[in-house]
Amino acid sequence: MQNPIFDKTQLNSLFDELQKAKTILIFGHKSPDGDSIGSTLALHHYLTKKGIKSQVIHPDGFPNFLKWMPATDSILLFDKHKDQVTELIAKADVIFNLDYNEQSRVGRDLGELLVNSNATKVIIDHHQQPDDFATYTFSDTNSCSTAQLVYEFIESNNDLELLDETIGNCIYTGLLTDTGSFRFPSVTPKTHLIAADLISKGVIHSTIHEQLFDINTPERLKLLGYTLNNKLEVLPELNTAIISLTVKEMLDHKTQKGYTEGFVNTALSIFGVNLAVFVKEDTHIVKISFRSKGDIPVNEFSKLHFGGGGHINAAGGASKMSVEETVNKIKAELPAFLEQLKN
Ligand code: 5GP
Ligand code: MN
């Protein structure tokens, strides 16, 4: 069944603009994940098949385990190609915003360029509470991934026959990474029907799983071991687990980009734990990842205390305090937050 967010009149009007446009840009969010890279590339490959040129841009780099995806080498990164991206935005006719719904999610400087651009803006996204900045907002907060929405975008244009293995690989990656390998409550029968269709189009699911998840190096496993041995705190009375890492600890363990991906889910997998937090020091800021089970809205907690957001069961935020102070603030604020949920 087609997703009703893709209104036919809006789609027709958007495609009229795309046919006339000279410069079409497709943006994903900061610290891109599998859904951000997968959904932007899938849209790019689909538009290419329709004879429409586009350029994928991300604010900054992405983990090596996503680099096998077709055309990742054509992606422009704002932190590396600032001048080129600035020029492209200045002349852009259409700007797609995928897997985010507030322009600040691409970072401050790039966000400002987007805010000041007169291009026609399009949002395709599944996060809560979209900002009102786009001419076309295709938002479905119940969807498991933006990749699923890109599939449904293609479906609503009656273009599924254009969907090949290349587009399929990108969509499958977004589905898989944003659903924890089809395990989160956001997965629906439609998600599996889409996966089935992608496999029938030539996607080799076992290879994608290997490329995404069998990527450990001894260093990464040792970093995980160190984190669990030394930096895991379980708070049984709050059914919560907290892990943290400083820049120094990561440097000491030869940490590379993407190494800590999934650590927070390991904390959440502890029996009896239904809220997991990972506090990670970055160069200028401390990033926090929240994961939960059931109806604990970690996005609300993150918004309330760390200027962040995300989904009910997966959210992020940031703190200007030290790692230790951030952990202490979380421990101080959590009891009242969890208590108030009971009412
Ligand atoms: P992660 O913990 O994997 O970085 O992020 C989990 C989810 O929260 C993702 O869906 C991501 O888009 C969202 N998220 C992460 N950091 C932030 C943030 O600083 N602000 C907002 N609004 N969402 C975030
Ligand atoms: Mn996503």
Side-chain angles (χ1 to χ4, degrees), residues 142-153:
N142 290 317
S143 187
C144 70
S145 59
T146 301
Q148 172 156 337
L149 295 178
V150 171
Y151 179 97
E152 290 169 336
F153 179 75

Side-chain angles (χ1 to χ4, degrees), residues 65-324:
F65 62 79
L66 295 173
K67 293 199 173 145
W68 58 270
M69 258 187 281
T72 47
D73 49 359
S74 74
I75 296 177
L76 286 177
L77 303 179
F78 180 66
D79 66 353
K80 276 203 186 135
H81 311 101
K82 221 167 236 166
D83 294 344
Q84 198 181 347
V85 172
T86 306
E87 269 172 42
L88 281 170
I89 294 173
K91 62 175 185 181
D93 304 299
V94 179
I95 292 181
F96 280 92
N97 304 263
L98 262 59
D99 205 32
Y100 64 91
N101 59 22
E102 30 182 282
Q103 290 169 109
S104 59
R105 283 285 290 133
V106 296
R108 203 191 51 200
D109 294 352
L110 181 55
E112 235 166 66
L113 292 175
L114 292 187
V115 168
N116 292 325
S117 152
N118 292 321
T120 298
K121 313 248 175 88
V122 188
I123 296 175
I124 304 179
D125 180 56
H126 66 135
H127 293 88
Q128 313 286 318
Q129 297 169 334
D131 269 3
D132 186 16
F133 67 87
T135 311
Y136 302 92
T137 300
F138 302 113
S139 162
D140 181 354
T141 57
N142 290 317
S143 187
C144 70
S145 59
T146 301
Q148 172 156 337
L149 295 178
V150 171
Y151 179 97
E152 290 169 336
F153 179 75
I154 299 171
E155 182 184 36
S156 303
N157 283 316
N158 297 318
D159 274 338
L160 283 182
E161 80 275 6
L162 296 181
L163 204 160
D164 57 8
E165 191 186 329
T166 300
I167 302 173
N169 279 331
C170 300
I171 294 179
Y172 196 87
T173 299
L175 286 186
L176 202 57
T177 52
D178 256 29
T179 60
S181 304
F182 300 108
R183 60 173 288 192
F184 296 154
S186 55
V187 170
T188 62
K190 177 78 183 278
T191 314
H192 283 287
L193 287 171
I194 292 172
D197 189 34
L198 299 180
I199 292 168
S200 77
K201 298 253 162 72
V203 166
I204 301 173
H205 63 278
S206 52
T207 307
I208 297 184
H209 273 264
E210 272 170 39
Q211 278 161 319
L212 291 175
F213 302 121
D214 296 347
I215 42 124
N216 275 312
T217 57
E219 286 74 27
R220 179 177 185 268
L221 287 180
K222 284 176 191 169
L223 178 71
L224 178 61
Y226 169 81
T227 310
L228 298 177
N229 252 320
N230 302 284
K231 305 299 301 283
L232 168 69
E233 225 179 317
V234 181
L235 312 170
E237 67 288 358
L238 300 176
N239 301 100
T240 293
I242 303 179
I243 51 175
S244 64
L245 283 173
T246 63
V247 166
K248 181 175 184 311
E249 288 169 318
M250 287 185 277
L251 284 176
D252 287 348
H253 287 85
K254 304 187 180 71
T255 301
Q256 292 179 18
K257 206 169 176 69
Y259 268 21
T260 59
E261 199 82 22
F263 279 19
V264 65
N265 297 315
T266 306
L268 189 66
S269 73
I270 297 169
F271 183 74
V273 163
N274 51 30
L275 201 174
V277 190
F278 177 30
V279 179
K280 178 181 154 183
E281 190 178 23
D282 213 328
T283 342
H284 299 295
I285 208 150
V286 168
K287 277 294 294 177
I288 314 160
S289 288
F290 297 95
R291 298 291 185 273
S292 69
K293 289 178 191 157
D295 47 13
I296 301 172
V298 281
N299 51 349
E300 284 179 24
F301 184 75
S302 184
K303 191 173 178 186
L304 202 59
H305 297 292
F306 298 102
H311 312 277
I312 290 172
N313 298 124
S319 151
K320 292 206 168 76
M321 297 181 288
S322 71
V323 168
E324 197 184 340

